[in-house]
């Protein structure tokens, strides 16, 4: 794949924190709540519906434009278009060996684990995905199954003597978002004037996040994305 001169690794939380710090410095605000649906303007005879707000915890928050980017939790998206989101659940563990490792490893077999060393001495290990399904678990309350984490640790002990004695710093799980055809869905929602969607990036979400955000901002502000050709991801295929 390359070496340290041609490839790099992004720590997802560090990237998200840095991006939010920048956005907050530009005046953005964060609101946490349960998104229940979209609010629409009355029928004015036009073919495209116009969203006037988002219903959050029972209250309407006015909006000039809305971007639906909710990962595998697609109930609100389904109110606007026929796009059923699926989630693939992965478990992962953070293992600490006492020194910084420098080789990422991707196994074929043994549950197909992936091993990502980080520069703080931790190594991120994931694998053993669940089958795709409609997600019913609540965001922030996704169950971490102990037996899956144990399988990951046991696999590392089989393939690496150094990882065999590593400290287990964290056990976690998450869902990767997929559309029905496994192709990201990005663009304006069919039959809508000011509702947009950007989701379904699977395991490539962090890598593609910045380019996706740039393209979506161009589409919303200028009416056209010029940095990325969004035609392969057109939501119209789910209309």
């Amino acid at each position: 794949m390359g070496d340290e001169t041609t490839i790099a690794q992004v720590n997802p939380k560090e990237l998200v924190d840095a991006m939010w710090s920048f956005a907050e410095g530009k005046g953005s605000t964060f609101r946490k709540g349960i998104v229940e649906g979209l609010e629409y303007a009355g029928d004015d005879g036009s073919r495209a519906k116009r969203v006037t707000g988002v219903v959050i915890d029972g209250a309407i928050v006015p909006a000039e434009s809305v971007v639906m980017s909710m990962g595998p939790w697609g109930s609100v998206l389904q109110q606007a278009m026929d796009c059923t989101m699926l989630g693939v659940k992965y478990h992962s563990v953070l293992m600490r060996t006492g020194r910084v490792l420098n080789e990422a490893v991707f196994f074929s077999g043994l549950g197909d684990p992936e091993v990502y060393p980080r520069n703080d001495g931790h190594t991120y290990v994931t694998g053993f995905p669940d089958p795709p399904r409609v997600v019913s678990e609540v965001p922030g309350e996704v169950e971490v199954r102990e037996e899956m984490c144990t399988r990951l640790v046991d696999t590392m002990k089989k393939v690496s003597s150094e990882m065999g004695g590593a400290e287990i710093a964290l056990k976690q799980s998450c869902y990767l978002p997929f559309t029905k055809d496994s192709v990201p869905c990005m663009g304006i929602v069919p039959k809508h004037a000011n509702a947009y969607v950007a989701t379904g990036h699977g395991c490539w979400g962090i890598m593609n996040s910045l380019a996706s955000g740039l393209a979506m901002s161009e589409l919303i502000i200028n009416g056209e994305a010029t940095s990325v050709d969004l035609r392969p991801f057109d939501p119209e295929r789910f209309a």
Side-chain angles (χ1 to χ4, degrees), residues 171-220:
K171 301 174 183 179
Q172 56 193 358
S173 64
C174 66
Y175 283 97
L176 305 184
F178 288 90
T179 59
K180 289 181 290 186
D181 60 8
S182 298
V183 176
C185 182
M186 298 173 58
I188 191 163
V189 175
K191 301 179 182 177
H192 284 67
N194 62 335
Y196 304 83
V197 59
T199 191
H201 292 68
C203 60
W204 303 110
I206 291 296
M207 187 184 77
N208 290 323
S209 61
L210 302 184
S212 296
L214 176 60
M216 293 303 298
S217 66
E218 293 171 342
L219 178 62
I220 295 168

mmCIF file of all heavy atoms in Angstrom, residues 171-220:
data_model
loop_
_atom_site.group_PDB
_atom_site.id
_atom_site.type_symbol
_atom_site.label_atom_id
_atom_site.label_comp_id
_atom_site.label_asym_id
_atom_site.label_seq_id
_atom_site.Cartn_x
_atom_site.Cartn_y
_atom_site.Cartn_z
ATOM 1 N N LYS A 171 -13.281 -1.198 25.034
ATOM 2 C CA LYS A 171 -14.083 -2.102 24.228
ATOM 3 C C LYS A 171 -15.290 -1.317 23.730
ATOM 4 O O LYS A 171 -15.931 -0.608 24.514
ATOM 5 C CB LYS A 171 -14.545 -3.306 25.053
ATOM 6 C CG LYS A 171 -13.412 -4.125 25.646
ATOM 7 C CD LYS A 171 -13.947 -5.213 26.564
ATOM 8 C CE LYS A 171 -12.812 -6.003 27.219
ATOM 9 N NZ LYS A 171 -13.321 -7.051 28.136
ATOM 10 N N GLN A 172 -15.613 -1.439 22.438
ATOM 11 C CA GLN A 172 -16.691 -0.630 21.896
ATOM 12 C C GLN A 172 -17.300 -1.298 20.661
ATOM 13 O O GLN A 172 -16.792 -2.305 20.152
ATOM 14 C CB GLN A 172 -16.177 0.761 21.525
ATOM 15 C CG GLN A 172 -15.004 0.745 20.565
ATOM 16 C CD GLN A 172 -14.310 2.089 20.441
ATOM 17 O OE1 GLN A 172 -14.702 3.068 21.033
ATOM 18 N NE2 GLN A 172 -13.259 2.119 19.639
ATOM 19 N N SER A 173 -18.413 -0.729 20.194
ATOM 20 C CA SER A 173 -19.039 -1.218 18.968
ATOM 21 C C SER A 173 -19.728 -0.059 18.271
ATOM 22 O O SER A 173 -20.038 0.967 18.894
ATOM 23 C CB SER A 173 -20.058 -2.326 19.276
ATOM 24 O OG SER A 173 -21.130 -1.829 20.056
ATOM 25 N N CYS A 174 -19.965 -0.210 16.977
ATOM 26 C CA CYS A 174 -20.618 0.831 16.196
ATOM 27 C C CYS A 174 -21.266 0.195 14.974
ATOM 28 O O CYS A 174 -21.042 -0.973 14.665
ATOM 29 C CB CYS A 174 -19.620 1.905 15.773
ATOM 30 S SG CYS A 174 -18.373 1.296 14.604
ATOM 31 N N TYR A 175 -22.068 0.985 14.280
ATOM 32 C CA TYR A 175 -22.702 0.536 13.039
ATOM 33 C C TYR A 175 -22.145 1.326 11.858
ATOM 34 O O TYR A 175 -22.062 2.562 11.903
ATOM 35 C CB TYR A 175 -24.213 0.755 13.091
ATOM 36 C CG TYR A 175 -24.968 -0.256 13.913
ATOM 37 C CD1 TYR A 175 -25.319 0.013 15.226
ATOM 38 C CD2 TYR A 175 -25.329 -1.492 13.374
ATOM 39 C CE1 TYR A 175 -26.015 -0.915 15.981
ATOM 40 C CE2 TYR A 175 -26.021 -2.428 14.133
ATOM 41 C CZ TYR A 175 -26.367 -2.130 15.421
ATOM 42 O OH TYR A 175 -27.056 -3.061 16.165
ATOM 43 N N LEU A 176 -21.775 0.618 10.808
ATOM 44 C CA LEU A 176 -21.394 1.272 9.560
ATOM 45 C C LEU A 176 -22.648 1.418 8.697
ATOM 46 O O LEU A 176 -23.401 0.453 8.539
ATOM 47 C CB LEU A 176 -20.342 0.456 8.815
ATOM 48 C CG LEU A 176 -19.067 0.110 9.583
ATOM 49 C CD1 LEU A 176 -18.091 -0.605 8.659
ATOM 50 C CD2 LEU A 176 -18.433 1.350 10.177
ATOM 51 N N PRO A 177 -22.898 2.597 8.143
ATOM 52 C CA PRO A 177 -24.136 2.827 7.386
ATOM 53 C C PRO A 177 -24.014 2.426 5.912
ATOM 54 O O PRO A 177 -23.049 2.781 5.239
ATOM 55 C CB PRO A 177 -24.341 4.340 7.522
ATOM 56 C CG PRO A 177 -22.950 4.884 7.612
ATOM 57 C CD PRO A 177 -22.126 3.841 8.322
ATOM 58 N N PHE A 178 -25.016 1.700 5.426
ATOM 59 C CA PHE A 178 -25.049 1.284 4.033
ATOM 60 C C PHE A 178 -26.451 1.514 3.454
ATOM 61 O O PHE A 178 -27.452 1.309 4.136
ATOM 62 C CB PHE A 178 -24.708 -0.203 3.888
ATOM 63 C CG PHE A 178 -23.268 -0.533 4.123
ATOM 64 C CD1 PHE A 178 -22.815 -0.855 5.399
ATOM 65 C CD2 PHE A 178 -22.360 -0.514 3.082
ATOM 66 C CE1 PHE A 178 -21.489 -1.165 5.625
ATOM 67 C CE2 PHE A 178 -21.024 -0.826 3.298
ATOM 68 C CZ PHE A 178 -20.580 -1.153 4.578
ATOM 69 N N THR A 179 -26.496 1.915 2.188
ATOM 70 C CA THR A 179 -27.753 1.930 1.460
ATOM 71 C C THR A 179 -28.026 0.525 0.928
ATOM 72 O O THR A 179 -27.198 -0.371 1.056
ATOM 73 C CB THR A 179 -27.680 2.915 0.275
ATOM 74 O OG1 THR A 179 -26.609 2.501 -0.602
ATOM 75 C CG2 THR A 179 -27.401 4.334 0.753
ATOM 76 N N LYS A 180 -29.188 0.342 0.310
ATOM 77 C CA LYS A 180 -29.548 -0.984 -0.190
ATOM 78 C C LYS A 180 -28.609 -1.467 -1.283
ATOM 79 O O LYS A 180 -28.407 -2.680 -1.442
ATOM 80 C CB LYS A 180 -30.995 -0.965 -0.700
ATOM 81 C CG LYS A 180 -32.040 -0.847 0.393
ATOM 82 C CD LYS A 180 -33.444 -0.850 -0.156
ATOM 83 C CE LYS A 180 -33.755 0.427 -0.923
ATOM 84 N NZ LYS A 180 -35.185 0.490 -1.337
ATOM 85 N N ASP A 181 -28.029 -0.548 -2.050
ATOM 86 C CA ASP A 181 -27.104 -0.957 -3.110
ATOM 87 C C ASP A 181 -25.636 -0.752 -2.720
ATOM 88 O O ASP A 181 -24.746 -0.883 -3.562
ATOM 89 C CB ASP A 181 -27.416 -0.231 -4.418
ATOM 90 C CG ASP A 181 -27.315 1.294 -4.303
ATOM 91 O OD1 ASP A 181 -26.856 1.785 -3.238
ATOM 92 O OD2 ASP A 181 -27.716 1.989 -5.250
ATOM 93 N N SER A 182 -25.399 -0.404 -1.448
ATOM 94 C CA SER A 182 -24.036 -0.238 -0.901
ATOM 95 C C SER A 182 -23.263 0.905 -1.539
ATOM 96 O O SER A 182 -22.031 0.962 -1.419
ATOM 97 C CB SER A 182 -23.234 -1.546 -1.021
ATOM 98 O OG SER A 182 -23.849 -2.579 -0.267
ATOM 99 N N VAL A 183 -23.969 1.816 -2.221
ATOM 100 C CA VAL A 183 -23.340 3.004 -2.806
ATOM 101 C C VAL A 183 -23.799 4.221 -2.007
ATOM 102 O O VAL A 183 -24.997 4.327 -1.690
ATOM 103 C CB VAL A 183 -23.739 3.167 -4.290
ATOM 104 C CG1 VAL A 183 -23.170 4.464 -4.862
ATOM 105 C CG2 VAL A 183 -23.251 1.973 -5.093
ATOM 106 N N PRO A 184 -22.893 5.134 -1.641
ATOM 107 C CA PRO A 184 -23.321 6.312 -0.893
ATOM 108 C C PRO A 184 -24.458 7.063 -1.588
ATOM 109 O O PRO A 184 -24.578 7.038 -2.818
ATOM 110 C CB PRO A 184 -22.047 7.166 -0.839
ATOM 111 C CG PRO A 184 -20.937 6.176 -0.906
ATOM 112 C CD PRO A 184 -21.428 5.100 -1.844
ATOM 113 N N CYS A 185 -25.273 7.712 -0.784
ATOM 114 C CA CYS A 185 -26.397 8.501 -1.279
ATOM 115 C C CYS A 185 -26.133 9.960 -0.934
ATOM 116 O O CYS A 185 -26.128 10.339 0.236
ATOM 117 C CB CYS A 185 -27.696 8.002 -0.625
ATOM 118 S SG CYS A 185 -29.190 8.833 -1.183
ATOM 119 N N MET A 186 -25.884 10.778 -1.970
ATOM 120 C CA MET A 186 -25.508 12.173 -1.747
ATOM 121 C C MET A 186 -26.140 13.062 -2.806
ATOM 122 O O MET A 186 -26.022 12.805 -4.003
ATOM 123 C CB MET A 186 -23.986 12.333 -1.801
ATOM 124 C CG MET A 186 -23.221 11.567 -0.745
ATOM 125 S SD MET A 186 -21.429 11.661 -1.011
ATOM 126 C CE MET A 186 -21.170 13.424 -0.961
ATOM 127 N N GLY A 187 -26.824 14.106 -2.332
ATOM 128 C CA GLY A 187 -27.422 15.050 -3.263
ATOM 129 C C GLY A 187 -28.710 15.612 -2.708
ATOM 130 O O GLY A 187 -29.017 15.483 -1.524
ATOM 131 N N ILE A 188 -29.490 16.227 -3.585
ATOM 132 C CA ILE A 188 -30.771 16.778 -3.173
ATOM 133 C C ILE A 188 -31.816 15.669 -3.142
ATOM 134 O O ILE A 188 -31.816 14.780 -3.995
ATOM 135 C CB ILE A 188 -31.207 17.937 -4.095
ATOM 136 C CG1 ILE A 188 -32.413 18.675 -3.496
ATOM 137 C CG2 ILE A 188 -31.481 17.454 -5.511
ATOM 138 C CD1 ILE A 188 -32.645 20.041 -4.111
ATOM 139 N N VAL A 189 -32.660 15.689 -2.127
ATOM 140 C CA VAL A 189 -33.692 14.670 -1.982
ATOM 141 C C VAL A 189 -34.711 14.833 -3.109
ATOM 142 O O VAL A 189 -35.158 15.953 -3.390
ATOM 143 C CB VAL A 189 -34.387 14.796 -0.609
ATOM 144 C CG1 VAL A 189 -35.547 13.810 -0.496
ATOM 145 C CG2 VAL A 189 -33.379 14.562 0.510
ATOM 146 N N PRO A 190 -35.083 13.751 -3.788
ATOM 147 C CA PRO A 190 -36.054 13.851 -4.885
ATOM 148 C C PRO A 190 -37.341 14.544 -4.451
ATOM 149 O O PRO A 190 -37.829 14.338 -3.337
ATOM 150 C CB PRO A 190 -36.312 12.377 -5.252
ATOM 151 C CG PRO A 190 -35.070 11.663 -4.834
ATOM 152 C CD PRO A 190 -34.597 12.369 -3.605
ATOM 153 N N LYS A 191 -37.840 15.394 -5.340
ATOM 154 C CA LYS A 191 -39.104 16.114 -5.137
ATOM 155 C C LYS A 191 -39.044 17.092 -3.967
ATOM 156 O O LYS A 191 -40.068 17.433 -3.380
ATOM 157 C CB LYS A 191 -40.269 15.128 -4.967
ATOM 158 C CG LYS A 191 -40.476 14.193 -6.152
ATOM 159 C CD LYS A 191 -41.616 13.233 -5.917
ATOM 160 C CE LYS A 191 -41.765 12.279 -7.103
ATOM 161 N NZ LYS A 191 -42.837 11.272 -6.887
ATOM 162 N N HIS A 192 -37.853 17.527 -3.621
ATOM 163 C CA HIS A 192 -37.663 18.519 -2.566
ATOM 164 C C HIS A 192 -36.843 19.687 -3.106
ATOM 165 O O HIS A 192 -35.980 19.506 -3.968
ATOM 166 C CB HIS A 192 -36.945 17.912 -1.360
ATOM 167 C CG HIS A 192 -37.811 17.039 -0.508
ATOM 168 N ND1 HIS A 192 -38.311 15.833 -0.954
ATOM 169 C CD2 HIS A 192 -38.268 17.205 0.761
ATOM 170 C CE1 HIS A 192 -39.034 15.282 0.014
ATOM 171 N NE2 HIS A 192 -39.031 16.087 1.050
ATOM 172 N N ALA A 193 -37.124 20.861 -2.588
ATOM 173 C CA ALA A 193 -36.416 22.060 -3.041
ATOM 174 C C ALA A 193 -35.203 22.372 -2.186
ATOM 175 O O ALA A 193 -34.232 22.963 -2.679
ATOM 176 C CB ALA A 193 -37.371 23.253 -3.032
ATOM 177 N N ASN A 194 -35.242 21.988 -0.913
ATOM 178 C CA ASN A 194 -34.167 22.412 -0.013
ATOM 179 C C ASN A 194 -33.812 21.355 1.036
ATOM 180 O O ASN A 194 -33.356 21.679 2.129
ATOM 181 C CB ASN A 194 -34.559 23.709 0.693
ATOM 182 C CG ASN A 194 -35.805 23.539 1.557
ATOM 183 O OD1 ASN A 194 -36.636 22.659 1.314
ATOM 184 N ND2 ASN A 194 -35.948 24.396 2.562
ATOM 185 N N ALA A 195 -34.022 20.083 0.705
ATOM 186 C CA ALA A 195 -33.617 18.985 1.589
ATOM 187 C C ALA A 195 -32.555 18.156 0.887
ATOM 188 O O ALA A 195 -32.690 17.825 -0.295
ATOM 189 C CB ALA A 195 -34.820 18.115 1.965
ATOM 190 N N TYR A 196 -31.501 17.827 1.625
ATOM 191 C CA TYR A 196 -30.359 17.128 1.055
ATOM 192 C C TYR A 196 -30.025 15.904 1.906
ATOM 193 O O TYR A 196 -30.414 15.810 3.073
ATOM 194 C CB TYR A 196 -29.145 18.057 1.002
ATOM 195 C CG TYR A 196 -29.398 19.338 0.239
ATOM 196 C CD1 TYR A 196 -30.007 20.429 0.862
ATOM 197 C CD2 TYR A 196 -29.037 19.460 -1.106
ATOM 198 C CE1 TYR A 196 -30.253 21.610 0.159
ATOM 199 C CE2 TYR A 196 -29.279 20.635 -1.807
ATOM 200 C CZ TYR A 196 -29.888 21.699 -1.172
ATOM 201 O OH TYR A 196 -30.137 22.855 -1.864
ATOM 202 N N VAL A 197 -29.294 14.975 1.310
ATOM 203 C CA VAL A 197 -28.892 13.771 2.020
ATOM 204 C C VAL A 197 -27.427 13.478 1.721
ATOM 205 O O VAL A 197 -26.943 13.711 0.607
ATOM 206 C CB VAL A 197 -29.781 12.565 1.625
ATOM 207 C CG1 VAL A 197 -29.710 12.286 0.134
ATOM 208 C CG2 VAL A 197 -29.382 11.315 2.400
ATOM 209 N N ALA A 198 -26.715 12.996 2.733
ATOM 210 C CA ALA A 198 -25.324 12.562 2.564
ATOM 211 C C ALA A 198 -25.095 11.425 3.556
ATOM 212 O O ALA A 198 -24.901 11.658 4.753
ATOM 213 C CB ALA A 198 -24.349 13.703 2.817
ATOM 214 N N THR A 199 -25.150 10.192 3.076
ATOM 215 C CA THR A 199 -25.044 9.046 3.976
ATOM 216 C C THR A 199 -24.637 7.805 3.195
ATOM 217 O O THR A 199 -24.535 7.841 1.961
ATOM 218 C CB THR A 199 -26.385 8.809 4.702
ATOM 219 O OG1 THR A 199 -26.193 7.853 5.749
ATOM 220 C CG2 THR A 199 -27.462 8.321 3.757
ATOM 221 N N GLY A 200 -24.395 6.709 3.912
ATOM 222 C CA GLY A 200 -24.134 5.428 3.266
ATOM 223 C C GLY A 200 -22.700 5.193 2.849
ATOM 224 O O GLY A 200 -22.439 4.423 1.925
ATOM 225 N N HIS A 201 -21.742 5.792 3.535
ATOM 226 C CA HIS A 201 -20.336 5.659 3.145
ATOM 227 C C HIS A 201 -19.667 4.396 3.684
ATOM 228 O O HIS A 201 -18.490 4.153 3.405
ATOM 229 C CB HIS A 201 -19.546 6.878 3.618
ATOM 230 C CG HIS A 201 -19.903 8.147 2.905
ATOM 231 N ND1 HIS A 201 -21.125 8.767 3.058
ATOM 232 C CD2 HIS A 201 -19.213 8.916 2.033
ATOM 233 C CE1 HIS A 201 -21.162 9.866 2.325
ATOM 234 N NE2 HIS A 201 -20.018 9.978 1.681
ATOM 235 N N GLY A 202 -20.402 3.596 4.473
ATOM 236 C CA GLY A 202 -19.828 2.354 4.977
ATOM 237 C C GLY A 202 -18.582 2.588 5.810
ATOM 238 O O GLY A 202 -18.531 3.478 6.654
ATOM 239 N N CYS A 203 -17.548 1.790 5.562
ATOM 240 C CA CYS A 203 -16.318 1.900 6.345
ATOM 241 C C CYS A 203 -15.419 3.040 5.869
ATOM 242 O O CYS A 203 -14.364 3.285 6.465
ATOM 243 C CB CYS A 203 -15.550 0.578 6.314
ATOM 244 S SG CYS A 203 -15.059 0.057 4.661
ATOM 245 N N TRP A 204 -15.828 3.746 4.816
ATOM 246 C CA TRP A 204 -14.989 4.810 4.266
ATOM 247 C C TRP A 204 -15.486 6.199 4.669
ATOM 248 O O TRP A 204 -15.116 7.201 4.069
ATOM 249 C CB TRP A 204 -14.948 4.704 2.736
ATOM 250 C CG TRP A 204 -14.462 3.376 2.259
ATOM 251 C CD1 TRP A 204 -15.198 2.399 1.645
ATOM 252 C CD2 TRP A 204 -13.143 2.849 2.382
ATOM 253 N NE1 TRP A 204 -14.421 1.299 1.375
ATOM 254 C CE2 TRP A 204 -13.158 1.546 1.818
ATOM 255 C CE3 TRP A 204 -11.948 3.339 2.917
ATOM 256 C CZ2 TRP A 204 -12.009 0.745 1.780
ATOM 257 C CZ3 TRP A 204 -10.817 2.532 2.876
ATOM 258 C CH2 TRP A 204 -10.864 1.258 2.304
ATOM 259 N N GLY A 205 -16.319 6.275 5.705
ATOM 260 C CA GLY A 205 -16.909 7.553 6.083
ATOM 261 C C GLY A 205 -15.894 8.605 6.493
ATOM 262 O O GLY A 205 -15.949 9.746 6.034
ATOM 263 N N ILE A 206 -14.967 8.231 7.364
ATOM 264 C CA ILE A 206 -13.978 9.207 7.822
ATOM 265 C C ILE A 206 -13.092 9.659 6.667
ATOM 266 O O ILE A 206 -12.826 10.853 6.480
ATOM 267 C CB ILE A 206 -13.135 8.622 8.967
ATOM 268 C CG1 ILE A 206 -13.983 8.460 10.232
ATOM 269 C CG2 ILE A 206 -11.929 9.497 9.259
ATOM 270 C CD1 ILE A 206 -14.494 9.770 10.797
ATOM 271 N N MET A 207 -12.649 8.706 5.854
ATOM 272 C CA MET A 207 -11.760 9.051 4.746
ATOM 273 C C MET A 207 -12.448 9.994 3.751
ATOM 274 O O MET A 207 -11.838 10.935 3.238
ATOM 275 C CB MET A 207 -11.293 7.798 4.017
ATOM 276 C CG MET A 207 -10.224 8.085 2.962
ATOM 277 S SD MET A 207 -9.740 6.635 2.007
ATOM 278 C CE MET A 207 -11.141 6.486 0.896
ATOM 279 N N ASN A 208 -13.731 9.737 3.491
ATOM 280 C CA ASN A 208 -14.448 10.533 2.488
ATOM 281 C C ASN A 208 -15.207 11.712 3.079
ATOM 282 O O ASN A 208 -15.878 12.443 2.342
ATOM 283 C CB ASN A 208 -15.443 9.638 1.737
ATOM 284 C CG ASN A 208 -14.740 8.644 0.826
ATOM 285 O OD1 ASN A 208 -13.729 8.961 0.215
ATOM 286 N ND2 ASN A 208 -15.284 7.437 0.733
ATOM 287 N N SER A 209 -15.106 11.907 4.381
ATOM 288 C CA SER A 209 -15.933 12.926 5.034
ATOM 289 C C SER A 209 -15.653 14.341 4.548
ATOM 290 O O SER A 209 -16.582 15.112 4.284
ATOM 291 C CB SER A 209 -15.747 12.854 6.552
ATOM 292 O OG SER A 209 -14.391 13.110 6.910
ATOM 293 N N LEU A 210 -14.387 14.697 4.422
ATOM 294 C CA LEU A 210 -14.056 16.079 4.068
ATOM 295 C C LEU A 210 -14.459 16.393 2.633
ATOM 296 O O LEU A 210 -15.032 17.457 2.348
ATOM 297 C CB LEU A 210 -12.571 16.336 4.281
ATOM 298 C CG LEU A 210 -12.057 16.092 5.709
ATOM 299 C CD1 LEU A 210 -10.593 16.462 5.820
ATOM 300 C CD2 LEU A 210 -12.881 16.859 6.719
ATOM 301 N N ALA A 211 -14.185 15.462 1.707
ATOM 302 C CA ALA A 211 -14.580 15.681 0.314
ATOM 303 C C ALA A 211 -16.105 15.706 0.190
ATOM 304 O O ALA A 211 -16.664 16.503 -0.576
ATOM 305 C CB ALA A 211 -13.997 14.587 -0.574
ATOM 306 N N SER A 212 -16.783 14.839 0.949
ATOM 307 C CA SER A 212 -18.248 14.820 0.910
ATOM 308 C C SER A 212 -18.822 16.127 1.440
ATOM 309 O O SER A 212 -19.758 16.693 0.859
ATOM 310 C CB SER A 212 -18.788 13.646 1.739
ATOM 311 O OG SER A 212 -18.386 12.410 1.195
ATOM 312 N N GLY A 213 -18.259 16.607 2.546
ATOM 313 C CA GLY A 213 -18.728 17.869 3.106
ATOM 314 C C GLY A 213 -18.517 19.035 2.167
ATOM 315 O O GLY A 213 -19.394 19.910 2.030
ATOM 316 N N LEU A 214 -17.361 19.066 1.500
ATOM 317 C CA LEU A 214 -17.092 20.137 0.539
ATOM 318 C C LEU A 214 -18.086 20.089 -0.611
ATOM 319 O O LEU A 214 -18.662 21.114 -1.003
ATOM 320 C CB LEU A 214 -15.664 20.022 0.015
ATOM 321 C CG LEU A 214 -15.259 21.012 -1.081
ATOM 322 C CD1 LEU A 214 -15.385 22.442 -0.589
ATOM 323 C CD2 LEU A 214 -13.839 20.718 -1.565
ATOM 324 N N ALA A 215 -18.304 18.901 -1.165
ATOM 325 C CA ALA A 215 -19.221 18.767 -2.292
ATOM 326 C C ALA A 215 -20.645 19.157 -1.914
ATOM 327 O O ALA A 215 -21.346 19.835 -2.673
ATOM 328 C CB ALA A 215 -19.194 17.326 -2.813
ATOM 329 N N MET A 216 -21.085 18.743 -0.727
ATOM 330 C CA MET A 216 -22.434 19.084 -0.296
ATOM 331 C C MET A 216 -22.581 20.583 -0.057
ATOM 332 O O MET A 216 -23.622 21.177 -0.376
ATOM 333 C CB MET A 216 -22.794 18.304 0.967
ATOM 334 C CG MET A 216 -22.932 16.803 0.769
ATOM 335 S SD MET A 216 -24.156 16.336 -0.485
ATOM 336 C CE MET A 216 -25.645 17.013 0.250
ATOM 337 N N SER A 217 -21.559 21.215 0.489
ATOM 338 C CA SER A 217 -21.637 22.661 0.707
ATOM 339 C C SER A 217 -21.711 23.404 -0.625
ATOM 340 O O SER A 217 -22.446 24.394 -0.758
ATOM 341 C CB SER A 217 -20.428 23.147 1.523
ATOM 342 O OG SER A 217 -19.215 23.003 0.801
ATOM 343 N N GLU A 218 -20.973 22.927 -1.614
ATOM 344 C CA GLU A 218 -21.051 23.545 -2.945
ATOM 345 C C GLU A 218 -22.450 23.389 -3.533
ATOM 346 O O GLU A 218 -23.003 24.336 -4.122
ATOM 347 C CB GLU A 218 -20.020 22.900 -3.876
ATOM 348 C CG GLU A 218 -18.575 23.185 -3.496
ATOM 349 C CD GLU A 218 -17.592 22.356 -4.303
ATOM 350 O OE1 GLU A 218 -17.997 21.329 -4.898
ATOM 351 O OE2 GLU A 218 -16.402 22.733 -4.335
ATOM 352 N N LEU A 219 -23.023 22.205 -3.362
ATOM 353 C CA LEU A 219 -24.355 21.949 -3.907
ATOM 354 C C LEU A 219 -25.394 22.847 -3.250
ATOM 355 O O LEU A 219 -26.260 23.417 -3.929
ATOM 356 C CB LEU A 219 -24.719 20.474 -3.683
ATOM 357 C CG LEU A 219 -26.109 20.029 -4.145
ATOM 358 C CD1 LEU A 219 -26.260 20.198 -5.653
ATOM 359 C CD2 LEU A 219 -26.366 18.575 -3.741
ATOM 360 N N ILE A 220 -25.311 23.002 -1.942
ATOM 361 C CA ILE A 220 -26.298 23.798 -1.214
ATOM 362 C C ILE A 220 -26.138 25.293 -1.512
ATOM 363 O O ILE A 220 -27.120 26.001 -1.746
ATOM 364 C CB ILE A 220 -26.173 23.534 0.293
ATOM 365 C CG1 ILE A 220 -26.546 22.082 0.603
ATOM 366 C CG2 ILE A 220 -27.063 24.478 1.097
ATOM 367 C CD1 ILE A 220 -26.185 21.641 2.019
#
